[in-house]
Amino acid sequence: VLGPASQAGQLQNWVHEQITNDATLDWSGQIPNQLGLNITSEYAHELLKTSYFDLYGKAEASLGNIFTYLHPKLNLRLGQFNKINSSVATTNALLNTNARTEFFLEYGLGLKLSGYNATIRGNLFDTNNPFYNRSINPTIFTMHLGLNFSFQRFSFVGRYHYSTGEFE
């Protein structure tokens, strides 16, 4: 759910007031209530693999009335890891049938091609765009650096994400 019914404005302002002591934000330009539906798909493929080094490509695509995008990525793993289809790197550690522990450093680069983002452009079927006069950049550079650990059914992933914005 997008809009005032999501209660995101109240939650964010509560966090700012109670935890970070920041000023509250103005949510008067929030898009109207709407139900969001998206279909998202992800595919990963190993390109190069040695004992402790791995290079794999990953593509994510989304189609819907909240987000529509294509996001290809190139990722590098250093450490001990499973095949990409049963790794915590692609959130598939539950598919891992062996008890091999994963512990690796991961770095990734990507280019997200955004066709539509309702959180910026408003309702897909209406002209209520709060950022209508701003220039929106549909090409977003992304990068991440992270430490991944999984043991049997337990996983821990800590990542730092960086991306350029869709608008200044």
Side-chain angles (χ1 to χ4, degrees), residues 3 11 22 33 39 53 68 70-71 73 80 98 101-102 105-106 119 124 157 168:
L11 177 62
D22 292 336
N33 290 327
I39 297 173
F53 170 83
T68 297
L70 178 63
H71 191 184
K73 306 171 199 173
Q80 181 175 309
N98 62 13
T101 299
E102 287 186 289
L105 182 67
E106 182 178 34
T119 63
L124 181 62
V157 177
E168 291 298 321

Side-chain angles (χ1 to χ4, degrees), residues 125-143:
F125 306 108
D126 199 351
T127 58
N128 63 347
N129 183 348
F131 303 104
Y132 185 75
N133 294 327
R134 293 192 175 178
S135 175
I136 297 174
N137 178 18
T139 307
I140 300 111
F141 169 77
T142 64
M143 178 177 68

